[in-house]
Amino acid sequence: MAGPSQHAHWSSRWTFLLAAVGSAVGLGNIWKFPYEAGEGGGGAFVLIYLAFVFIVGLPVLIAELSMGRRGQLSPIGSMAKIAKEEGRSKLWGLVGWSGVVGGFIVISFYSVVGGWVLAYLLKAPMGFAGYDAALSTQTFGAFITDPVNPIVAHFGFLLITVLIVARGVQGGLEKAVTFLMPALFVLLIGLMLYSAITADFAAALNFLFNPDWGKLNVNTVLQALGLAFFSLSLALGSIMTYGSYLTKDMNIPRSAVTIAAADSGVALLAGLAIFPIVFAYGLNPGQSVGLVFTTLPIAFGQMPGGAIIGTLFFFLLTVAAVTSAISLLEPAVSYVEERTGIDRKKVSVYIAIAAFALGTLSAWGQPGNILGTVKVFGLDFMSLKDYITNNIMMPLGGMFIALFVGWFVSRKNMMDELAMEDGTFKLWYFLVRFVCPVAIGAVFVSIIYNTIIAS
C-alpha cells in the first residue's frame, strides 16, 4: 500500500533546509565536536575536519538526497526501486535496510542521552552552586546509576519525539523545526556572545583557529574524517528519507551546501560558546560525556547568573537532540507505513515502544546500574550500539551509497537529477566515485585495525 513518502512533500525549500539542518545538527555538534577538537589539539583538527566536511561529506550528502528524491520512498524502497530501474541487483536495497536499522539502533540509545539532557534541563534552574569535580561527578553518577530516573527521562524524551513524528511531514516535522531551529541558532549565538563578554574568548579563538600541525597524526586525521561524516547524519536513513519529500524543483546541490555550511557553523559556534567557559575556569577541554554533565556544571556553579546560563545551555542541547531524534525515528516510520498502510500515529507509537525497550538496556547498562556488569565483546550496551552504528554501519553505508551512485547509476541520470553545471558536476562525480569511497574505506579499515589487530 502506498505510504506517505510517495505523497508528502516539504511545503518549501526553507522548511526542508530547517529539517535537514536539524537532522545533521544534534548532540554531536554541541558536545562531540568540542571534545574531539580538544582531544585532537584544536586548530589543526578543526581545519582538517572542515575540509573533510566539504570534500567527503558534502558529495555523499548530495548523493543521498538525490536517491531519496528520485525514489520517493523510504530508503529501503528507494534503493530497491532505483536499482531495478538501473538494471542492477536488488541486493542494493540492503543499503537502505542498513540506514533504517542503523537509525533505529541509534535512536534507542540517543534517546537515553537525550533523557539525561532533559533531566539536567529540569535541574539547571536550581543552579549548580557549590559544585566541584567530586560533587559534579557524584551527582551525575548517582543519576545514571538510579534504576528509575534515567528510564523516566528516556521515556519523556521519546514521548516528545513521537508526538512530533506522529503528526507527519507538514503537520509535525515542519512545525517543529520551524520553531526549534531558529530557537537553537538564537540560543547558540546568545551563549557565544555571553562567553565572548564574560569568559576567556581569546583563548578559545587561539585554540580553535591557531593550528599546531605538530599535534596531528594519522589517528587524529582519521578521527576528523569520521566526525565530518557523523556530523552530517549520513547513512542512517534520515537524509535519504528527507530527500524523498523533496519536489523536483528544489535544487539539491545548493541545498546540500547550505546544510553542510550550517552544520559546520553550529559546531564552530558551539566551540566558541563552550571553550571560553572551559578555559576561564581552568577546566579540561578534552572530556567526552563529562564535558556536558560534569565539567560545565562546575563552571555554571561559579559564574554570575549560572542558573540562567546553565538552563539556556541545556535547553539548547534539548532542542538539538530533539531535531536529530525525529529524523532518526522517521525512516523506520516511513518504511512501515509505506509497506503496511497502518496509520502513521500507530506506527510511530509502535516503533517508539520498540526503541524504548531496546534503549532501556542502554539506560540500565551504565556502570553501577542493574545491567552495569553485563558486557558484550567487552562493551556495555550503549557503547556496543554506538560502536556498531558509528564504526561499522555508517562508514559501510556511506561507502556503498557513494559506490552505487558513482558506479552503478548512469551518469546521464545523475546529471538529469542534479541539474548541475558541467564543471561542477564533473568535480562532484570525481569526488563521489573515487575520493569518497577511498576516504571512508580508510576510516573503516583504521577502525577495524585499531579494534582487532592493534588491541
Side-chain angles (χ1 to χ4, degrees), residues 369-390:
N369 213 315
I370 294 173
L371 302 175
T373 59
V374 179
K375 305 291 182 184
V376 181
F377 302 113
L379 299 173
D380 61 64
F381 289 112
M382 182 179 289
S383 299
L384 177 66
K385 290 187 281 187
D386 180 58
Y387 184 88
I388 290 172
T389 53
N390 192 37

Side-chain angles (χ1 to χ4, degrees), residues 264-277:
S264 302
V266 167
L268 292 175
L269 285 173
L272 291 174
I274 291 171
F275 282 132
I277 297 172

Side-chain angles (χ1 to χ4, degrees), residues 146-171:
D146 186 277
V148 177
N149 289 335
I151 299 298
V152 174
H154 170 43
F155 175 83
F157 184 83
L158 264 178
L159 179 62
I160 294 171
T161 304
V162 78
L163 287 175
I164 295 172
V165 173
R167 293 176 176 272
V169 175
Q170 294 187 8

